[in-house]
Amino acid sequence: MARTHTTRPTLWTPARVLVTRSAAELPHGANIVARCEAAGVEHVEVLSGDRLPPLRAENERATYALAKRTLAVVVAPPSKRRLQPIPPSADWRVDLAEGCPGHCQYCYLAGSLSGPPITRVYANLPEILAGMDEHVGHGSVTSASTDRASEGTTFEASCYTDPLALEHLTGSLSTTIAHVGTHDWPGPVGLRFTTKYDDVAPLLDLPHGGRTRVRVSVNAAAVAERFEGGTASLPQRISALRQLAEHGYRVGLTVAPIMPVPGWREEYSTLLADVAAAVADVPDLDLTVECITHRFTESSREVLLGWYPRTKLEMDDGQRTRKFGKYGAAKYVYPKDTMGDLRSWFDSALPEILPMARKLYWT
């Protein structure tokens, strides 16, 4: 039997918490404030209005550091509650928060969110969850897929955040999992989220009803150790995956962002073998794999270099192919030959090393 990793979970404690007036007046907002105080946050400020104060420091790097130490409790406006399609992961995106306390030097949020990267959590959670019903039975990913029909209409909760990283401060993820697991839906549903954290103990005994798939974000050790600051270690994440699977959760791997680092075949072989060993004896295992290669945009590179000016992350457009998305945005991906090598290796290695897993997509 695989040994469960016993290291204390990786938890983030913000230096300060800003709470808008409207958020403080909501029951879930008040609960978040109480959780933050219990977690040892010394500076919790309830604002007189609903606007966050401007965040400024002496330079961009200092502003980034200040923002990364700040949690804001706010009310999600209608625009944030409006569910959007999120292929190829899920039918719909449901946002419990925006921003992440991790320090991943390739962070895709750098190109998606504007302004200093303050983490915002939403106090009007019941209102957000109530908006899911009308989307059941609609969608273009799992709802319209023969291969993934068993997942039902899927809702992705980690598009703009890592909800497990914030769970000890908010309780929002547990509430959402229990809601999805017990609510009387008009059709089959599935909740999904990806995490680089390992504090899964609060989730293990929830009434999830088999409707939540938790994917652990993993990578080659050379990538995780160098570029994923402030997150749980790979052994901690893999141990968390096992614990979740033992408690009946559908689980998955998000292998991302895949990079052709020196010795990448051996690195990713070791990763897959470690996962295989961890889950080999888990009964009724439901394990998927999603493979996402590294890419960047001009704007995300500019932001990331401001945040991490000494990064060793390769973001040289001369080594990349420029690709245009469906909305006309340009991103830089690996050249065709490199992408082909990566994909063909994973196509062979996954069934050989991790035969109990089902690959969902490659991008």
Side-chain angles (χ1 to χ4, degrees):
M1 177 179 290
R3 184 175 298 175
T4 300
H5 202 76
T6 57
T7 302
R8 294 180 63 183
T10 299
L11 299 176
W12 175 59
T13 302
R16 64 173 185 165
V17 175
L18 303 177
V19 189
T20 63
R21 181 181 59 187
S22 293
E25 294 171 350
L26 293 173
H28 189 58
N31 180 56
I32 293 173
V33 170
R35 281 174 169 264
C36 289
E37 292 173 342
V41 179
E42 296 182 359
H43 183 164
V44 178
E45 179 183 355
V46 178
L47 305 172
S48 59
D50 288 340
R51 285 185 175 273
L52 296 177
L55 191 70
R56 296 190 184 93
E58 57 269 24
N59 54 50
E60 184 178 5
R61 176 61 183 160
T63 300
Y64 163 83
L66 179 60
K68 278 291 191 175
R69 298 195 301 269
T70 301
L71 178 72
V73 187
V74 302
V75 173
S79 61
K80 298 295 183 182
R81 301 198 310 270
R82 191 175 302 118
L83 274 59
Q84 301 291 334
I86 184 66
S89 172
D91 286 319
W92 303 104
R93 188 186 91 215
V94 57
D95 295 331
L96 313 181
E98 180 179 280
C100 174
H103 295 271
C104 297
Q105 295 177 33
Y106 51 75
C107 178
Y108 72 93
L109 293 180
S112 304
L113 303 177
S114 59
I118 296 174
T119 297
R120 294 168 170 83
V121 296
Y122 298 140
N124 53 332
L125 182 61
E127 193 173 21
I128 293 169
L129 299 181
M132 296 169 65
D133 286 74
E134 64 188 80
H135 292 81
V136 176
H138 306 284
S140 61
V141 180
T142 57
S143 294
S145 167
T146 302
D147 292 340
R148 296 180 62 183
S150 62
E151 299 178 59
T153 303
T154 45
F155 297 89
E156 174 63 64
S158 55
C159 183
Y160 283 155
T161 191
D162 185 321
L164 186 60
L166 309 172
E167 177 61 7
H168 62 294
L169 302 172
T170 68
S172 297
L173 182 59
S174 292
T175 298
T176 303
I177 290 172
H179 174 74
V180 171
T182 60
H183 185 62
D184 185 14
W185 298 99
V189 300
L191 178 70
R192 297 161 50 79
F193 69 91
T194 295
T195 184
K196 288 188 178 75
Y197 290 81
D198 66 321
D199 185 28
V200 297
L203 312 184
L204 298 181
D205 295 322
L206 293 175
H208 59 77
R211 293 174 175 171
T212 292
R213 185 180 300 279
V214 187
R215 296 111 70 214
V216 175
S217 181
V218 293
N219 215 316
V223 176
E225 293 169 5
R226 175 170 245 183
F227 299 123
E228 298 179 355
T231 64
S233 69
L234 282 174
Q236 287 175 284
R237 298 181 215 174
I238 293 171
S239 175
L241 179 81
R242 176 184 172 84
Q243 293 176 64
L244 290 161
E246 288 179 316
H247 283 77
Y249 279 91
R250 299 182 180 192
V251 293
L253 300 177
T254 303
V255 189
I258 295 169
M259 301 181 189
V261 295
W264 62 267
R265 293 173 180 82
E266 293 76 16
E267 290 259 358
Y268 286 111
S269 289
T270 299
L271 168 68
L272 298 180
D274 288 346
V275 173
V279 300
D281 59 346
V282 175
D284 302 319
L285 178 69
D286 184 340
L287 175 67
T288 60
V289 181
E290 295 155 73
C291 298
I292 305 171
T293 54
H294 181 242
R295 68 279 316 279
F296 60 89
T297 65
E298 293 279 8
S299 60
S300 68
R301 177 173 57 185
E302 181 179 354
V303 172
L304 289 170
L305 289 176
W307 291 352
Y308 308 108
R310 292 185 293 276
T311 185
K312 300 300 183 183
L313 180 66
E314 182 273 301
M315 291 187 288
D316 180 0
D317 52 17
Q319 299 185 43
R320 301 291 185 121
T321 294
R322 196 179 189 197
K323 182 178 179 180
F324 291 91
K326 64 179 180 179
Y327 299 113
K331 56 187 174 183
Y332 292 95
V333 302
Y334 291 120
K336 182 178 180 180
D337 288 348
T338 302
M339 191 73 83
D341 286 346
L342 291 167
R343 184 167 190 171
S344 63
W345 184 87
F346 272 91
D347 283 346
S348 298
L350 280 169
E352 178 181 344
I353 305 174
L354 204 60
M356 64 287 284
R358 176 168 52 98
K359 191 179 80 171
L360 296 185
Y361 60 83
W362 171 281
T363 185

